[in-house]
């Protein structure tokens, strides 16, 4: 797992996508990497960054988009999921 820390995708000078540095570092360090699963935010910036990252990497990896099922981001999702599990235990 790699946290991108809210980073959005950005373009290089030649209009090609610049992969976020945390993701690029993970790619560089994991030589056997075949699949990348993205869990970016469900807001406009997260959806846009997901599309751009997928476009940039789809020729080299299987790239899947799996945003959180509910909530804005994975943290919201995990908190909500924990709260739901706690309610079921009562």
């Amino acid at each position: 797992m790699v946290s991108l820390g809210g980073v959005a995708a950005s373009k290089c000078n030649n209009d090609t996508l610049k992969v976020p540095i945390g993701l690029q570092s993970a790619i560089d360090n994991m030589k056997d990497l075949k699949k990348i699963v993205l869990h970016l935010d469900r807001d406009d910036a997260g959806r846009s960054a997901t599309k751009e990252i997928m476009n940039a990497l789809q020729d080299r990896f299987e790239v899947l988009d799996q945003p959180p099922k509910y909530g804005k981001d994975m943290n919201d999702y995990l908190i909500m999921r924990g709260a739901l599990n706690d309610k079921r235990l009562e």
Side-chain angles (χ1 to χ4, degrees):
M1 286 189 213
V2 176
S3 173
L4 301 180
V7 79
S10 61
K11 303 277 185 185
C12 295
N13 291 338
N14 60 2
D15 283 338
T16 59
L17 179 77
K18 178 180 167 186
V19 175
I21 193 164
L23 180 55
Q24 187 61 56
S25 178
I27 289 168
D28 293 344
N29 289 314
M30 295 182 217
K31 301 301 179 196
D32 295 334
L33 187 65
K34 293 182 173 109
K35 178 168 49 171
I36 297 171
V37 182
L38 300 171
H39 299 286
L40 276 66
D41 292 1
R42 290 180 52 181
D43 59 9
D44 290 341
R47 299 290 77 225
S48 177
T50 297
K51 288 178 189 173
E52 291 183 23
I53 292 168
M54 290 181 78
N55 287 336
L57 299 176
Q58 67 187 356
D59 293 339
R60 297 185 295 157
F61 304 99
E62 177 185 2
V63 184
L64 304 175
D65 176 19
Q66 294 183 1
K69 292 178 183 175
Y70 39 86
K72 176 191 167 290
D73 56 28
M74 287 306 291
N75 189 54
D76 284 351
Y77 169 73
L78 292 171
I79 289 169
M80 292 170 136
R81 189 177 80 174
L84 289 174
N85 287 336
D86 288 348
K87 294 271 185 205
R88 290 183 194 141
L89 296 175
E90 292 178 358

